[in-house]
mmCIF file of all heavy atoms in Angstrom:
data_model
loop_
_atom_site.group_PDB
_atom_site.id
_atom_site.type_symbol
_atom_site.label_atom_id
_atom_site.label_comp_id
_atom_site.label_asym_id
_atom_site.label_seq_id
_atom_site.Cartn_x
_atom_site.Cartn_y
_atom_site.Cartn_z
ATOM 1 N N TRP A 1 17.935 7.740 16.827
ATOM 2 C CA TRP A 1 17.536 9.160 16.955
ATOM 3 C C TRP A 1 17.383 9.787 15.575
ATOM 4 O O TRP A 1 18.244 9.577 14.694
ATOM 5 C CB TRP A 1 18.524 9.910 17.801
ATOM 6 C CG TRP A 1 18.140 11.329 18.133
ATOM 7 C CD1 TRP A 1 17.458 11.806 19.232
ATOM 8 C CD2 TRP A 1 18.418 12.506 17.337
ATOM 9 N NE1 TRP A 1 17.298 13.151 19.159
ATOM 10 C CE2 TRP A 1 17.857 13.642 18.044
ATOM 11 C CE3 TRP A 1 19.059 12.755 16.146
ATOM 12 C CZ2 TRP A 1 17.938 14.947 17.549
ATOM 13 C CZ3 TRP A 1 19.130 14.028 15.644
ATOM 14 C CH2 TRP A 1 18.578 15.066 16.337
ATOM 15 N N GLY A 2 16.353 10.604 15.411
ATOM 16 C CA GLY A 2 16.231 11.297 14.166
ATOM 17 C C GLY A 2 14.907 10.933 13.438
ATOM 18 O O GLY A 2 14.279 9.965 13.739
ATOM 19 N N ALA A 3 14.578 11.711 12.413
ATOM 20 C CA ALA A 3 13.443 11.446 11.567
ATOM 21 C C ALA A 3 13.622 12.101 10.208
ATOM 22 O O ALA A 3 13.846 13.303 10.133
ATOM 23 C CB ALA A 3 12.161 12.025 12.279
ATOM 24 N N ASN A 4 13.542 11.291 9.154
ATOM 25 C CA ASN A 4 13.727 11.914 7.842
ATOM 26 C C ASN A 4 12.873 11.212 6.756
ATOM 27 O O ASN A 4 13.222 11.297 5.569
ATOM 28 C CB ASN A 4 15.233 11.775 7.456
ATOM 29 C CG ASN A 4 15.705 10.370 7.258
ATOM 30 O OD1 ASN A 4 14.943 9.403 7.324
ATOM 31 N ND2 ASN A 4 17.000 10.181 7.035
ATOM 32 N N ALA A 5 11.880 10.511 7.158
ATOM 33 C CA ALA A 5 11.003 9.885 6.155
ATOM 34 C C ALA A 5 9.547 10.286 6.379
ATOM 35 O O ALA A 5 9.104 10.496 7.490
ATOM 36 C CB ALA A 5 11.160 8.379 6.268
ATOM 37 N N GLN A 6 8.804 10.357 5.247
ATOM 38 C CA GLN A 6 7.406 10.692 5.322
ATOM 39 C C GLN A 6 6.777 10.230 4.041
ATOM 40 O O GLN A 6 7.359 10.237 3.001
ATOM 41 C CB GLN A 6 7.286 12.245 5.502
ATOM 42 C CG GLN A 6 5.838 12.722 5.680
ATOM 43 C CD GLN A 6 5.808 14.238 5.649
ATOM 44 O OE1 GLN A 6 5.870 14.785 4.574
ATOM 45 N NE2 GLN A 6 5.703 14.899 6.772
ATOM 46 N N SER A 7 5.504 9.814 4.111
ATOM 47 C CA SER A 7 4.797 9.393 2.909
ATOM 48 C C SER A 7 3.367 9.809 2.962
ATOM 49 O O SER A 7 2.797 10.049 4.029
ATOM 50 C CB SER A 7 4.912 7.855 2.781
ATOM 51 O OG SER A 7 4.202 7.210 3.810
ATOM 52 N N LEU A 8 2.813 9.986 1.792
ATOM 53 C CA LEU A 8 1.380 10.358 1.619
ATOM 54 C C LEU A 8 0.842 9.371 0.641
ATOM 55 O O LEU A 8 1.223 9.337 -0.536
ATOM 56 C CB LEU A 8 1.271 11.783 1.153
ATOM 57 C CG LEU A 8 -0.161 12.230 0.726
ATOM 58 C CD1 LEU A 8 -1.043 12.249 2.020
ATOM 59 C CD2 LEU A 8 -0.106 13.621 0.089
ATOM 60 N N ASN A 9 -0.102 8.502 1.120
ATOM 61 C CA ASN A 9 -0.724 7.572 0.190
ATOM 62 C C ASN A 9 -2.036 7.119 0.716
ATOM 63 O O ASN A 9 -2.344 7.326 1.885
ATOM 64 C CB ASN A 9 0.240 6.372 -0.022
ATOM 65 C CG ASN A 9 0.557 5.625 1.241
ATOM 66 O OD1 ASN A 9 -0.264 4.896 1.791
ATOM 67 N ND2 ASN A 9 1.782 5.825 1.770
ATOM 68 N N TRP A 10 -2.790 6.541 -0.159
ATOM 69 C CA TRP A 10 -4.094 5.949 0.231
ATOM 70 C C TRP A 10 -4.371 4.778 -0.742
ATOM 71 O O TRP A 10 -3.670 4.571 -1.700
ATOM 72 C CB TRP A 10 -5.195 6.981 0.208
ATOM 73 C CG TRP A 10 -5.413 7.598 -1.124
ATOM 74 C CD1 TRP A 10 -6.157 7.077 -2.144
ATOM 75 C CD2 TRP A 10 -4.922 8.867 -1.553
ATOM 76 N NE1 TRP A 10 -6.121 7.941 -3.269
ATOM 77 C CE2 TRP A 10 -5.407 9.037 -2.913
ATOM 78 C CE3 TRP A 10 -4.194 9.864 -0.993
ATOM 79 C CZ2 TRP A 10 -5.066 10.158 -3.677
ATOM 80 C CZ3 TRP A 10 -3.836 10.963 -1.736
ATOM 81 C CH2 TRP A 10 -4.298 11.133 -3.050
ATOM 82 N N THR A 11 -5.441 4.076 -0.475
ATOM 83 C CA THR A 11 -5.805 2.924 -1.333
ATOM 84 C C THR A 11 -7.274 3.093 -1.740
ATOM 85 O O THR A 11 -8.130 3.272 -0.915
ATOM 86 C CB THR A 11 -5.634 1.589 -0.564
ATOM 87 O OG1 THR A 11 -4.257 1.462 -0.212
ATOM 88 C CG2 THR A 11 -6.055 0.452 -1.438
ATOM 89 N N ASN A 12 -7.471 3.035 -3.059
ATOM 90 C CA ASN A 12 -8.811 2.979 -3.636
ATOM 91 C C ASN A 12 -9.207 1.488 -3.757
ATOM 92 O O ASN A 12 -8.564 0.714 -4.498
ATOM 93 C CB ASN A 12 -8.857 3.635 -5.007
ATOM 94 C CG ASN A 12 -8.516 5.135 -4.903
ATOM 95 O OD1 ASN A 12 -8.970 5.855 -4.035
ATOM 96 N ND2 ASN A 12 -7.653 5.609 -5.836
ATOM 97 N N ARG A 13 -10.218 1.101 -3.029
ATOM 98 C CA ARG A 13 -10.580 -0.330 -2.955
ATOM 99 C C ARG A 13 -11.941 -0.545 -3.552
ATOM 100 O O ARG A 13 -12.901 0.169 -3.334
ATOM 101 C CB ARG A 13 -10.603 -0.723 -1.451
ATOM 102 C CG ARG A 13 -11.084 -2.170 -1.197
ATOM 103 C CD ARG A 13 -10.890 -2.559 0.212
ATOM 104 N NE ARG A 13 -11.469 -3.868 0.477
ATOM 105 C CZ ARG A 13 -11.183 -4.585 1.567
ATOM 106 N NH1 ARG A 13 -10.317 -4.165 2.450
ATOM 107 N NH2 ARG A 13 -11.785 -5.785 1.729
ATOM 108 N N PHE A 14 -12.013 -1.665 -4.363
ATOM 109 C CA PHE A 14 -13.245 -2.068 -4.960
ATOM 110 C C PHE A 14 -13.353 -3.598 -4.689
ATOM 111 O O PHE A 14 -12.375 -4.322 -4.954
ATOM 112 C CB PHE A 14 -13.286 -1.762 -6.432
ATOM 113 C CG PHE A 14 -14.489 -2.339 -7.158
ATOM 114 C CD1 PHE A 14 -15.722 -1.682 -7.078
ATOM 115 C CD2 PHE A 14 -14.416 -3.516 -7.857
ATOM 116 C CE1 PHE A 14 -16.852 -2.207 -7.734
ATOM 117 C CE2 PHE A 14 -15.520 -4.056 -8.505
ATOM 118 C CZ PHE A 14 -16.736 -3.402 -8.459
ATOM 119 N N GLU A 15 -14.519 -4.052 -4.282
ATOM 120 C CA GLU A 15 -14.651 -5.464 -3.940
ATOM 121 C C GLU A 15 -16.071 -5.976 -4.270
ATOM 122 O O GLU A 15 -17.060 -5.318 -4.003
ATOM 123 C CB GLU A 15 -14.361 -5.659 -2.440
ATOM 124 C CG GLU A 15 -14.455 -7.107 -1.991
ATOM 125 C CD GLU A 15 -14.096 -7.284 -0.537
ATOM 126 O OE1 GLU A 15 -13.935 -6.274 0.165
ATOM 127 O OE2 GLU A 15 -13.963 -8.419 -0.051
ATOM 128 N N ILE A 16 -16.117 -7.154 -4.862
ATOM 129 C CA ILE A 16 -17.385 -7.871 -5.056
ATOM 130 C C ILE A 16 -17.187 -9.254 -4.409
ATOM 131 O O ILE A 16 -16.209 -9.980 -4.777
ATOM 132 C CB ILE A 16 -17.728 -8.005 -6.543
ATOM 133 C CG1 ILE A 16 -17.916 -6.700 -7.215
ATOM 134 C CG2 ILE A 16 -18.975 -8.859 -6.727
ATOM 135 C CD1 ILE A 16 -18.163 -6.731 -8.683
ATOM 136 N N LYS A 17 -18.077 -9.659 -3.544
ATOM 137 C CA LYS A 17 -17.906 -10.924 -2.843
ATOM 138 C C LYS A 17 -19.310 -11.513 -2.591
ATOM 139 O O LYS A 17 -20.255 -10.802 -2.186
ATOM 140 C CB LYS A 17 -17.158 -10.712 -1.519
ATOM 141 C CG LYS A 17 -16.903 -11.990 -0.737
ATOM 142 C CD LYS A 17 -16.113 -11.678 0.540
ATOM 143 C CE LYS A 17 -15.827 -12.963 1.322
ATOM 144 N NZ LYS A 17 -15.043 -12.673 2.543
ATOM 145 N N GLU A 18 -19.405 -12.808 -2.756
ATOM 146 C CA GLU A 18 -20.667 -13.467 -2.457
ATOM 147 C C GLU A 18 -20.387 -14.890 -1.958
ATOM 148 O O GLU A 18 -19.487 -15.570 -2.484
ATOM 149 C CB GLU A 18 -21.544 -13.534 -3.726
ATOM 150 C CG GLU A 18 -23.006 -13.843 -3.443
ATOM 151 C CD GLU A 18 -23.697 -12.759 -2.642
ATOM 152 O OE1 GLU A 18 -23.960 -11.673 -3.207
ATOM 153 O OE2 GLU A 18 -23.938 -13.020 -1.437
ATOM 154 N N ASP A 19 -21.134 -15.317 -0.919
ATOM 155 C CA ASP A 19 -20.978 -16.628 -0.358
ATOM 156 C C ASP A 19 -22.371 -17.254 -0.233
ATOM 157 O O ASP A 19 -23.355 -16.551 0.073
ATOM 158 C CB ASP A 19 -20.337 -16.562 1.039
ATOM 159 C CG ASP A 19 -18.897 -15.980 1.006
ATOM 160 O OD1 ASP A 19 -17.986 -16.713 0.644
ATOM 161 O OD2 ASP A 19 -18.787 -14.775 1.302
ATOM 162 N N PHE A 20 -22.452 -18.546 -0.465
ATOM 163 C CA PHE A 20 -23.746 -19.298 -0.431
ATOM 164 C C PHE A 20 -23.538 -20.560 0.404
ATOM 165 O O PHE A 20 -22.490 -21.113 0.518
ATOM 166 C CB PHE A 20 -24.163 -19.656 -1.858
ATOM 167 C CG PHE A 20 -24.308 -18.505 -2.814
ATOM 168 C CD1 PHE A 20 -23.229 -18.134 -3.568
ATOM 169 C CD2 PHE A 20 -25.499 -17.804 -2.903
ATOM 170 C CE1 PHE A 20 -23.327 -17.074 -4.475
ATOM 171 C CE2 PHE A 20 -25.647 -16.788 -3.790
ATOM 172 C CZ PHE A 20 -24.566 -16.378 -4.569
ATOM 173 N N SER A 21 -24.659 -21.037 0.956
ATOM 174 C CA SER A 21 -24.703 -22.343 1.638
ATOM 175 C C SER A 21 -25.994 -22.998 1.224
ATOM 176 O O SER A 21 -27.031 -22.383 0.999
ATOM 177 C CB SER A 21 -24.595 -22.158 3.119
ATOM 178 O OG SER A 21 -25.696 -21.418 3.648
ATOM 179 N N HIS A 22 -25.918 -24.337 1.200
ATOM 180 C CA HIS A 22 -27.086 -25.138 0.751
ATOM 181 C C HIS A 22 -26.978 -26.472 1.490
ATOM 182 O O HIS A 22 -25.998 -27.160 1.457
ATOM 183 C CB HIS A 22 -27.093 -25.346 -0.742
ATOM 184 C CG HIS A 22 -28.161 -26.251 -1.245
ATOM 185 N ND1 HIS A 22 -29.490 -25.896 -1.231
ATOM 186 C CD2 HIS A 22 -28.086 -27.503 -1.771
ATOM 187 C CE1 HIS A 22 -30.221 -26.875 -1.687
ATOM 188 N NE2 HIS A 22 -29.418 -27.863 -2.027
ATOM 189 N N VAL A 23 -28.111 -26.815 2.131
ATOM 190 C CA VAL A 23 -28.202 -28.082 2.867
ATOM 191 C C VAL A 23 -29.098 -29.022 2.063
ATOM 192 O O VAL A 23 -30.196 -28.699 1.694
ATOM 193 C CB VAL A 23 -28.794 -27.875 4.298
ATOM 194 C CG1 VAL A 23 -28.903 -29.198 5.001
ATOM 195 C CG2 VAL A 23 -27.915 -26.942 5.096
ATOM 196 N N ARG A 24 -28.523 -30.218 1.882
ATOM 197 C CA ARG A 24 -29.262 -31.245 1.150
ATOM 198 C C ARG A 24 -28.986 -32.583 1.780
ATOM 199 O O ARG A 24 -27.878 -33.141 1.637
ATOM 200 C CB ARG A 24 -28.903 -31.220 -0.306
ATOM 201 C CG ARG A 24 -29.756 -32.181 -1.129
ATOM 202 C CD ARG A 24 -29.542 -31.965 -2.608
ATOM 203 N NE ARG A 24 -30.404 -32.866 -3.408
ATOM 204 C CZ ARG A 24 -30.529 -32.843 -4.732
ATOM 205 N NH1 ARG A 24 -29.840 -31.929 -5.425
ATOM 206 N NH2 ARG A 24 -31.292 -33.676 -5.366
ATOM 207 N N GLY A 25 -29.927 -33.141 2.418
ATOM 208 C CA GLY A 25 -29.757 -34.404 3.087
ATOM 209 C C GLY A 25 -28.668 -34.365 4.181
ATOM 210 O O GLY A 25 -28.702 -33.545 5.066
ATOM 211 N N GLN A 26 -27.671 -35.243 3.966
ATOM 212 C CA GLN A 26 -26.554 -35.277 4.943
ATOM 213 C C GLN A 26 -25.394 -34.368 4.503
ATOM 214 O O GLN A 26 -24.310 -34.406 5.131
ATOM 215 C CB GLN A 26 -26.052 -36.706 5.053
ATOM 216 C CG GLN A 26 -27.086 -37.708 5.613
ATOM 217 C CD GLN A 26 -26.630 -39.140 5.494
ATOM 218 O OE1 GLN A 26 -25.989 -39.542 4.558
ATOM 219 N NE2 GLN A 26 -26.981 -39.943 6.511
ATOM 220 N N HIS A 27 -25.617 -33.556 3.497
ATOM 221 C CA HIS A 27 -24.540 -32.647 2.997
ATOM 222 C C HIS A 27 -24.909 -31.176 3.296
ATOM 223 O O HIS A 27 -26.053 -30.739 3.146
ATOM 224 C CB HIS A 27 -24.380 -32.830 1.491
ATOM 225 C CG HIS A 27 -23.959 -34.191 1.072
ATOM 226 N ND1 HIS A 27 -22.623 -34.512 0.877
ATOM 227 C CD2 HIS A 27 -24.694 -35.295 0.820
ATOM 228 C CE1 HIS A 27 -22.548 -35.778 0.510
ATOM 229 N NE2 HIS A 27 -23.784 -36.296 0.476
ATOM 230 N N GLN A 28 -23.864 -30.458 3.677
ATOM 231 C CA GLN A 28 -23.994 -29.015 3.807
ATOM 232 C C GLN A 28 -22.919 -28.385 2.888
ATOM 233 O O GLN A 28 -21.765 -28.435 3.186
ATOM 234 C CB GLN A 28 -23.779 -28.549 5.251
ATOM 235 C CG GLN A 28 -23.916 -27.033 5.426
ATOM 236 C CD GLN A 28 -23.855 -26.602 6.908
ATOM 237 O OE1 GLN A 28 -24.020 -27.378 7.797
ATOM 238 N NE2 GLN A 28 -23.533 -25.311 7.090
ATOM 239 N N PHE A 29 -23.374 -27.813 1.766
ATOM 240 C CA PHE A 29 -22.454 -27.250 0.852
ATOM 241 C C PHE A 29 -22.275 -25.748 1.078
ATOM 242 O O PHE A 29 -23.226 -25.018 1.485
ATOM 243 C CB PHE A 29 -23.035 -27.433 -0.587
ATOM 244 C CG PHE A 29 -23.232 -28.833 -1.036
ATOM 245 C CD1 PHE A 29 -24.463 -29.463 -0.942
ATOM 246 C CD2 PHE A 29 -22.141 -29.603 -1.490
ATOM 247 C CE1 PHE A 29 -24.650 -30.773 -1.358
ATOM 248 C CE2 PHE A 29 -22.302 -30.881 -1.863
ATOM 249 C CZ PHE A 29 -23.574 -31.505 -1.843
ATOM 250 N N LYS A 30 -21.067 -25.297 0.860
ATOM 251 C CA LYS A 30 -20.704 -23.868 0.889
ATOM 252 C C LYS A 30 -19.873 -23.567 -0.313
ATOM 253 O O LYS A 30 -18.970 -24.328 -0.673
ATOM 254 C CB LYS A 30 -19.952 -23.515 2.199
ATOM 255 C CG LYS A 30 -20.755 -23.695 3.443
ATOM 256 C CD LYS A 30 -19.936 -23.328 4.687
ATOM 257 C CE LYS A 30 -20.744 -23.486 5.964
ATOM 258 N NZ LYS A 30 -19.978 -23.099 7.166
ATOM 259 N N PHE A 31 -20.180 -22.460 -0.965
ATOM 260 C CA PHE A 31 -19.387 -22.054 -2.113
ATOM 261 C C PHE A 31 -19.519 -20.539 -2.306
ATOM 262 O O PHE A 31 -20.420 -19.890 -1.791
ATOM 263 C CB PHE A 31 -19.852 -22.770 -3.395
ATOM 264 C CG PHE A 31 -21.293 -22.649 -3.699
ATOM 265 C CD1 PHE A 31 -21.836 -21.690 -4.514
ATOM 266 C CD2 PHE A 31 -22.246 -23.518 -3.080
ATOM 267 C CE1 PHE A 31 -23.129 -21.597 -4.799
ATOM 268 C CE2 PHE A 31 -23.613 -23.393 -3.346
ATOM 269 C CZ PHE A 31 -24.066 -22.426 -4.187
ATOM 270 N N GLY A 32 -18.486 -20.006 -2.962
ATOM 271 C CA GLY A 32 -18.510 -18.518 -3.124
ATOM 272 C C GLY A 32 -17.296 -18.093 -3.872
ATOM 273 O O GLY A 32 -16.425 -18.843 -4.317
ATOM 274 N N GLY A 33 -17.163 -16.750 -4.003
ATOM 275 C CA GLY A 33 -16.001 -16.176 -4.726
ATOM 276 C C GLY A 33 -15.872 -14.696 -4.424
ATOM 277 O O GLY A 33 -16.769 -14.089 -3.806
ATOM 278 N N GLU A 34 -14.750 -14.172 -4.858
ATOM 279 C CA GLU A 34 -14.485 -12.736 -4.575
ATOM 280 C C GLU A 34 -13.602 -12.140 -5.677
ATOM 281 O O GLU A 34 -12.723 -12.848 -6.217
ATOM 282 C CB GLU A 34 -13.747 -12.623 -3.209
ATOM 283 C CG GLU A 34 -13.351 -11.189 -2.864
ATOM 284 C CD GLU A 34 -12.540 -11.142 -1.583
ATOM 285 O OE1 GLU A 34 -12.043 -12.227 -1.144
ATOM 286 O OE2 GLU A 34 -12.373 -10.030 -0.986
ATOM 287 N N TYR A 35 -13.852 -10.939 -5.994
ATOM 288 C CA TYR A 35 -12.947 -10.107 -6.823
ATOM 289 C C TYR A 35 -12.686 -8.814 -6.061
ATOM 290 O O TYR A 35 -13.593 -8.149 -5.620
ATOM 291 C CB TYR A 35 -13.521 -9.788 -8.229
ATOM 292 C CG TYR A 35 -12.736 -8.806 -8.954
ATOM 293 C CD1 TYR A 35 -11.538 -9.170 -9.611
ATOM 294 C CD2 TYR A 35 -13.109 -7.458 -8.998
ATOM 295 C CE1 TYR A 35 -10.787 -8.217 -10.297
ATOM 296 C CE2 TYR A 35 -12.324 -6.498 -9.685
ATOM 297 C CZ TYR A 35 -11.166 -6.911 -10.283
ATOM 298 O OH TYR A 35 -10.399 -5.966 -10.966
ATOM 299 N N ALA A 36 -11.409 -8.441 -5.914
ATOM 300 C CA ALA A 36 -11.083 -7.206 -5.220
ATOM 301 C C ALA A 36 -9.917 -6.552 -5.939
ATOM 302 O O ALA A 36 -8.971 -7.259 -6.434
ATOM 303 C CB ALA A 36 -10.740 -7.500 -3.765
ATOM 304 N N GLN A 37 -9.927 -5.253 -5.983
ATOM 305 C CA GLN A 37 -8.794 -4.507 -6.525
ATOM 306 C C GLN A 37 -8.416 -3.415 -5.571
ATOM 307 O O GLN A 37 -9.273 -2.761 -4.947
ATOM 308 C CB GLN A 37 -9.075 -3.939 -7.914
ATOM 309 C CG GLN A 37 -10.108 -2.865 -7.979
ATOM 310 C CD GLN A 37 -10.323 -2.315 -9.385
ATOM 311 O OE1 GLN A 37 -10.158 -3.071 -10.369
ATOM 312 N NE2 GLN A 37 -10.629 -1.025 -9.500
ATOM 313 N N TYR A 38 -7.081 -3.204 -5.466
ATOM 314 C CA TYR A 38 -6.551 -2.155 -4.579
ATOM 315 C C TYR A 38 -5.557 -1.371 -5.386
ATOM 316 O O TYR A 38 -4.514 -1.829 -5.801
ATOM 317 C CB TYR A 38 -5.856 -2.815 -3.378
ATOM 318 C CG TYR A 38 -6.759 -3.793 -2.637
ATOM 319 C CD1 TYR A 38 -6.826 -5.123 -2.989
ATOM 320 C CD2 TYR A 38 -7.505 -3.358 -1.532
ATOM 321 C CE1 TYR A 38 -7.661 -5.987 -2.261
ATOM 322 C CE2 TYR A 38 -8.347 -4.232 -0.844
ATOM 323 C CZ TYR A 38 -8.410 -5.567 -1.201
ATOM 324 O OH TYR A 38 -9.226 -6.417 -0.534
ATOM 325 N N ILE A 39 -5.863 -0.063 -5.584
ATOM 326 C CA ILE A 39 -5.007 0.810 -6.350
ATOM 327 C C ILE A 39 -4.500 1.883 -5.397
ATOM 328 O O ILE A 39 -5.304 2.613 -4.745
ATOM 329 C CB ILE A 39 -5.727 1.476 -7.492
ATOM 330 C CG1 ILE A 39 -6.461 0.401 -8.375
ATOM 331 C CG2 ILE A 39 -4.798 2.309 -8.355
ATOM 332 C CD1 ILE A 39 -5.557 -0.602 -8.979
ATOM 333 N N SER A 40 -3.186 1.999 -5.214
ATOM 334 C CA SER A 40 -2.599 2.881 -4.185
ATOM 335 C C SER A 40 -1.599 3.827 -4.899
ATOM 336 O O SER A 40 -0.491 3.456 -5.164
ATOM 337 C CB SER A 40 -1.890 2.017 -3.162
ATOM 338 O OG SER A 40 -2.765 1.114 -2.554
ATOM 339 N N PRO A 41 -2.006 5.127 -5.082
ATOM 340 C CA PRO A 41 -1.012 6.108 -5.507
ATOM 341 C C PRO A 41 -0.172 6.513 -4.264
ATOM 342 O O PRO A 41 -0.750 6.784 -3.225
ATOM 343 C CB PRO A 41 -1.913 7.231 -6.046
ATOM 344 C CG PRO A 41 -3.201 7.073 -5.312
ATOM 345 C CD PRO A 41 -3.365 5.614 -5.025
ATOM 346 N N GLU A 42 1.119 6.546 -4.421
ATOM 347 C CA GLU A 42 1.969 6.840 -3.282
ATOM 348 C C GLU A 42 3.094 7.795 -3.719
ATOM 349 O O GLU A 42 3.456 7.817 -4.887
ATOM 350 C CB GLU A 42 2.603 5.553 -2.730
ATOM 351 C CG GLU A 42 1.594 4.518 -2.268
ATOM 352 C CD GLU A 42 2.265 3.274 -1.786
ATOM 353 O OE1 GLU A 42 3.478 3.127 -1.901
ATOM 354 O OE2 GLU A 42 1.560 2.427 -1.260
ATOM 355 N N ASP A 43 3.615 8.534 -2.722
ATOM 356 C CA ASP A 43 4.875 9.229 -2.982
ATOM 357 C C ASP A 43 5.950 8.621 -2.144
ATOM 358 O O ASP A 43 5.712 7.981 -1.148
ATOM 359 C CB ASP A 43 4.722 10.712 -2.758
ATOM 360 C CG ASP A 43 4.331 11.136 -1.362
ATOM 361 O OD1 ASP A 43 4.401 10.307 -0.419
ATOM 362 O OD2 ASP A 43 3.934 12.290 -1.182
ATOM 363 N N VAL A 44 7.193 8.830 -2.595
ATOM 364 C CA VAL A 44 8.344 8.267 -1.964
ATOM 365 C C VAL A 44 9.306 9.363 -1.642
ATOM 366 O O VAL A 44 10.031 9.847 -2.501
ATOM 367 C CB VAL A 44 9.043 7.201 -2.898
ATOM 368 C CG1 VAL A 44 10.112 6.431 -2.126
ATOM 369 C CG2 VAL A 44 8.021 6.252 -3.516
ATOM 370 N N THR A 45 9.290 9.782 -0.401
ATOM 371 C CA THR A 45 10.204 10.870 -0.006
ATOM 372 C C THR A 45 11.642 10.277 0.187
ATOM 373 O O THR A 45 11.825 9.098 0.487
ATOM 374 C CB THR A 45 9.763 11.523 1.293
ATOM 375 O OG1 THR A 45 9.666 10.544 2.319
ATOM 376 C CG2 THR A 45 8.432 12.230 1.082
ATOM 377 N N ALA A 46 12.613 11.117 -0.040
ATOM 378 C CA ALA A 46 13.988 10.686 -0.027
ATOM 379 C C ALA A 46 14.461 10.420 1.412
ATOM 380 O O ALA A 46 13.981 11.031 2.396
ATOM 381 C CB ALA A 46 14.871 11.752 -0.658
#
């Protein structure tokens, strides 16, 4: 019983992602990569 915690925060998200596929003969290639950043300012109530 009770409630004494509360927070205010969000996340600023930036992402670059790319995926590729290539078929050649009996091979099906897939390759790709990603860069992502997540910055979250937060408060910490007592």
Side-chain angles (χ1 to χ4, degrees):
W1 186 91
N4 66 6
Q6 185 188 77
S7 63
L8 173 66
N9 59 75
W10 61 80
T11 298
N12 298 315
R13 174 172 174 164
F14 174 80
E15 181 178 8
I16 300 176
K17 182 178 181 180
E18 197 64 75
D19 298 280
F20 303 91
S21 62
H22 175 69
V23 178
R24 184 170 184 175
Q26 297 172 323
H27 296 267
Q28 180 175 341
F29 298 100
K30 295 181 180 180
F31 54 96
E34 177 185 17
Y35 169 79
Q37 68 177 32
Y38 305 88
I39 309 299
S40 303
E42 301 178 353
D43 60 16
V44 189
T45 57

